[in-house]
Amino acid sequence: MLNNKEVNVLIVDDDPFNRHFLTRILSNAGYGVKEATCGEEALVKAKIEKPNLIILDVNLPDITGYEVCEQLKLNPNTEFIPILNITATYTKNEDWVHGLECGADNYLIKPIDPNVLRAIVTTMLKNESIERQLRIALEEADAANDIKSQFLANISHELKTPINVIVSALQMANIIVKDIESLDIKNKLDKYNGMIKQNSYRLIRLINNLIDMTKIDSGFINMTKHNIDIVKTVEDITLSVASFVESKQIELIFDTDVEEKITACDPNKIETIMFNLLSNATKFTDAGGKITVNMFDRKEYIIISVKDTGIGISDEDKDKIFGRFLQVDDTSHRNSEGSGIGLSLVKSFIEMHGGKLTLESTYGKGSNFIIKLPILTIDETKEKKEYSISPNYVDKMKIEFSDIYACS
Ligand code: ADP
């Protein structure tokens, strides 16, 4: 907190007697005082002097104190300076209310009692000091957060290069392994190569998620929308993971009440959303369980539900899992590694499409992630694109499922 000498109060009053009276009280209390005789001078001095408090007469010769208040609050350089309105003319309750609505923080009717003035000024300056310190702390925290985000964005890109080199080198190594004659050595190398590949994919997934996360935070995430048949898209993605899911003795069902529904969306993001929800459903469902992907036509929007008969999510954790870095700690599923970023990205991607993600879940019985996606089409100058799963979808799927499946 500043000591009184470091505190500056600007007194705005056209009456020299009033200015002198107020200046004397505040100077005696140890405050630095500046004076202005009209509204325009007050606005200029507020910007230059940046006082800690303004005592502002409402009845001024040029513009009213109310207008001065409004202009001070509209200017980012002066918006946080507290204002004490004083008046002998505007004494009705509605004047008081109007002053506060214009941005004043307090109101005093003349004649002013010196003790009341000192008490009010002390309280207002105490609050101003706390608010200023909070603002500084917030600015520092924002700056530190920006540095952290920038570092995360840089490091994620830096990590991507070596990991891509590892995966490419591994592909070359796999070609060479094929020529090895000894079956024993070949099998061992295949096993170790598989481990390297799976763990490289897990790193790629983490890095991709971090990159997307930083892009969302900085508002630089690209959406490339096309008018596509969302039913076929979701069906193709679901079927593409069927053998993976079924190899875990989990039944996978796709069902829809509509054959075709054209909507504008980013097919890449839809792939990420679906792979994420399907891999989670697989991760948290035991052998013998079932995953059902249902699509329901609601005319202006489409519902996509990814429902599993897995471990479910407790009421307490339902909201938390859409936040970042959170994983519900379930010791029976600790082999289900992950960073806890996936669902927050899924939620952001759905919201970027104007949609909504909700969760219905009963702990111990299963979960149902429900996507509500609006049906909108865009003017596409180019000819209509037929969606097909991206050519590298097998790799993409393996990356998304890398927490669960060994790669071959
Ligand atoms: P990650 O990126 O690590 O896969 P997510 O954000 O996708 O993490 O998921 C966060 C947490 O939400 C998971 O660790 C798990 O506790 C819970 N969760 C997500 N999907 C399911 C599901 N289908 N069944 C049970 N729990 C789930």
Side-chain angles (χ1 to χ4, degrees), residues 311-327:
I311 62 169
I313 298 161
S314 68
D315 286 343
E316 190 195 328
D317 290 322
K318 270 181 195 159
D319 289 331
K320 290 194 214 153
I321 60 162
F322 295 109
R324 282 179 186 164
F325 312 122
L326 188 123
Q327 293 186 287

Side-chain angles (χ1 to χ4, degrees), residues 205 209 276-277 279-285 306 308 310-313 317 320-330 334 336-346 359 361 366-369 400 403:
R205 177 171 185 255
N209 280 353
N276 235 298
L277 293 180
S279 78
N280 273 344
T282 315
K283 219 191 274 190
F284 297 104
T285 302
V306 181
D308 64 60
I311 62 169
I313 298 161
D317 290 322
K320 290 194 214 153
I321 60 162
F322 295 109
R324 282 179 186 164
F325 312 122
L326 188 123
Q327 293 186 287
V328 180
D329 188 23
D330 185 276
R334 261 353 280 160
S336 313
E337 306 283 344
S339 59
I341 306 177
L343 279 178
S344 82
L345 283 183
V346 166
L359 166 66
S361 185
S367 309
N368 188 7
F369 287 86
E400 285 301 335
D403 287 344

Side-chain angles (χ1 to χ4, degrees), residues 263-322:
T263 189
C265 51
D266 182 333
N268 250 310
K269 304 267 179 312
I270 300 291
E271 269 182 17
T272 307
I273 292 165
M274 287 308 295
F275 280 148
N276 235 298
L277 293 180
L278 285 165
S279 78
N280 273 344
T282 315
K283 219 191 274 190
F284 297 104
T285 302
D286 288 326
K290 188 159 93 177
I291 298 171
T292 316
V293 177
N294 270 307
M295 298 190 74
F296 304 104
D297 184 11
R298 294 284 184 272
K299 305 287 171 239
E300 290 103 48
Y301 53 90
I302 189 118
I303 301 284
I304 308 164
S305 121
V306 181
K307 192 174 175 184
D308 64 60
T309 57
I311 62 169
I313 298 161
S314 68
D315 286 343
E316 190 195 328
D317 290 322
K318 270 181 195 159
D319 289 331
K320 290 194 214 153
I321 60 162
F322 295 109

Side-chain angles (χ1 to χ4, degrees), residues 139-158:
E139 277 164 20
E140 285 171 356
D142 280 348
N145 198 32
D146 285 349
I147 293 171
K148 185 214 71 191
S149 299
Q150 193 52 51
F151 170 75
L152 213 56
N154 292 345
I155 202 81
S156 310
H157 281 285
E158 288 302 317

